[in-house]
Amino acid sequence: MTELNNNCLVTLESRQIMLGDEDTSVINVPALRTEKNGKTYIYYTVFYDDDNQIANKETVKIASDDCVELLRSGLLKSKMVFKKGETTSSVYASPAGQMMMSITTDELDIQKSEKKLVINMKYKIALDNDADILIYFKLTSESN
């Protein structure tokens, strides 16, 4: 693996809309950005409690100009594949159990330079055929 940015900061911005209710979040986490075989990988950990005991390890893989994968392990487990204009399926595992998840990616834009990477996505998730959740997601990775 060739390191691009050993010390970078990732900002995860999310806006979720379901049945008229809206929730937004912004998380900043340290990350490692690397490249292997022409693909970009970003590794980071998200903590869900103040004591940093409950966490998810997450990997974002830019597989191509129109495909991003998000792999989660820890409290939540999933492999989400985002391909513009397509619907993909996956299993979503949480402490409450496993559910089938379908992801329809409406928008996907990737802007990459040596020091900065920005991924903008708009997608819908349906868990076990429930009401769709509309998500606007932005990941920004900047080297320190």
Side-chain angles (χ1 to χ4, degrees), residues 98-115:
Q98 291 187 1
M99 297 176 267
M100 276 307 294
M101 169 175 57
S102 74
I103 304 160
T104 303
T105 307
D106 296 321
E107 297 174 15
L108 173 61
D109 180 59
I110 303 165
Q111 298 175 18
K112 185 168 84 168
S113 68
E114 187 174 329
K115 294 192 179 231

Side-chain angles (χ1 to χ4, degrees), residues 2-48:
T2 305
E3 286 190 10
L4 289 179
N5 294 297
N6 195 8
N7 296 312
C8 63
L9 180 67
V10 166
T11 302
L12 306 166
E13 301 174 60
S14 175
R15 182 168 63 119
Q16 302 179 12
I17 303 167
M18 181 177 165
L19 299 174
D21 291 330
E22 188 171 322
D23 184 37
T24 60
S25 67
V26 177
I27 300 170
N28 294 298
V29 293
L32 173 66
R33 181 176 149 193
T34 63
E35 256 194 43
K36 181 180 180 182
N37 299 326
K39 295 173 179 37
T40 301
Y41 296 83
I42 302 170
Y43 303 95
Y44 56 90
T45 301
V46 175
F47 292 97
Y48 294 99

Side-chain angles (χ1 to χ4, degrees), residues 25 127-128:
S25 67
L127 296 170
D128 282 342

Side-chain angles (χ1 to χ4, degrees), residues 10 24 26 30 33 38 50 75 88-89 137 142:
V10 166
T24 60
V26 177
R33 181 176 149 193
D50 293 336
L75 180 67
T88 60
S89 297
F137 178 82
E142 294 187 76

